[in-house]
Amino acid sequence: MTLSQPAKRYGVIGNPVAHSRSPAIHEAFARQAGITLTYERICAPRDGFAATIGAFFSEGGAGLNVTVPFKEEAFRLAEGQLSQRAAMAGAVNTLWMEQDTLHGCNTDGVGLLHDITRLGHAPKDRAILLVGAGGAARGVVFPLLEAGCARLHIVNRTAEKAQALSQHIIDHAPESVGRVTAGGLDHAKGPWDIVINATSSSLTSAPPALPGRLYAAGALAYDMFYASGPTAFMRQAQADGAGTVADGLGMLVGQAAASFAIWHGVQPDTVPVLETLRNALSEP
Ligand code: NAP
């Protein structure tokens, strides 16, 4: 007689979280790897994140992805056991228990780099414009710099937030002085090789108020937001002459793959999972 191990329990925690595609992604990765697991959506009360994750892990939960609005709270709760990526980003999207201690990492930057590279626009030696200075932008700035971009210019509707993010980078990586600059949206003057939209403006179906002529020949316009069709930012970029436009579905799959690798020690193949997800998103 063989005794099978109970399936390990994983999930994504946020508020709201009903829209999350993480269960389908992790279940597909698990099928690839021959791993049995459960992966659920957990909606925590906005003032009840710590209690909810405490209950999850004390009941034997193995790992959690964290989404809006809890990434910064997750960072605080895992303080002391943070990966370097999470420590630099000030935000955590991947939690797990090791020797009864909560650990945290941020895989958003890895997911973005993975997808930009898949699209043939690896950041090395490129001039990059990053639009937005919220949690998603914080998660990707250090990975972009580490990937060797020539220049990183951060612009935001509230210019002071872009300047504060730029200062945060320089405080942690003083060698970035001169390579990292910041300003308001009207200080985005091109041309840029890669323009990344890390604002939530696409939620309102309106692009950020950027000036025209942003794109160098063949440049990539990347929207972290994703939808069934081209986003407002993608349409704006196409009209402004971007060579390639893409949404953030590949980043979503890439960040999930990096979380999966942390939890299970297996690097999944993102290509078929992205294809399935894209088809599902396009269905009416
Ligand atoms: P956040 O922390 O709330 O930050 C929002 C950012 O958007 C701020 O910079 C804000 O500017 C700006 N913004 C909002 N509305 C705007 C508008 N109408 N025009 C110009 N700027 C506007 O949000 P976040 O967590 O950084 O998320 C940002 C986006 O990234 C969301 O769409 C999210 O879905 C996406 N995301 C995708 C992935 C992925 O895997 N694909 C991962 C993470 C995030 P102010 O500072 O001026 O308010």
Side-chain angles (χ1 to χ4, degrees), residues 71-72 84-86 88-93 105-113 130 132-146 165 168-169 198 224 251:
K71 288 184 186 181
E72 278 149 30
Q84 196 197 14
R85 288 178 203 154
M88 297 289 247
V92 156
N93 76 339
C105 185
N106 188 313
T107 64
D108 281 340
V110 179
L112 175 70
L113 285 187
L130 179 63
R138 283 177 79 96
V140 302
V141 287
F142 288 105
L144 288 170
L145 288 165
E146 282 164 15
L165 179 54
H168 168 79
I169 297 167
M224 288 193 189
M251 174 179 172

Side-chain angles (χ1 to χ4, degrees), residues 68 71-72 108 131-138 155-159 161 185 197-204 206-209 222-226 247-253 255:
V68 178
K71 288 184 186 181
E72 278 149 30
D108 281 340
V131 187
R138 283 177 79 96
V155 293
N156 193 43
R157 182 175 60 179
T158 312
K161 275 177 70 181
L185 293 179
N197 181 29
T199 76
S200 42
S201 71
S202 290
L203 281 171
T204 61
Y222 193 95
D223 196 348
M224 288 193 189
F225 188 75
Y226 59 85
D247 73 8
L249 197 65
M251 174 179 172
L252 181 77
V253 176
Q255 61 79 28

Side-chain angles (χ1 to χ4, degrees), residues 107-131 136 139-141 143-145 147-149 151-152 193-198 218-224 233 244-255 270 274:
T107 64
D108 281 340
V110 179
L112 175 70
L113 285 187
H114 177 83
D115 206 37
I116 288 182
T117 305
R118 175 185 70 88
L119 294 162
H121 289 263
K124 187 157 173 43
D125 299 331
R126 308 284 173 100
I128 300 182
L129 176 69
L130 179 63
V131 187
V140 302
V141 287
L144 288 170
L145 288 165
C149 66
R151 211 182 140 204
L152 181 63
D193 302 314
I194 301 174
V195 179
I196 300 165
N197 181 29
L220 169 69
Y222 193 95
D223 196 348
M224 288 193 189
F233 170 78
T244 307
V245 295
D247 73 8
L249 197 65
M251 174 179 172
L252 181 77
V253 176
Q255 61 79 28
T270 55
L274 178 56

Side-chain angles (χ1 to χ4, degrees), residues 16-29:
V17 78
H19 64 284
S20 172
R21 299 192 179 249
S22 293
I25 299 173
H26 281 268
E27 284 158 12
F29 289 160

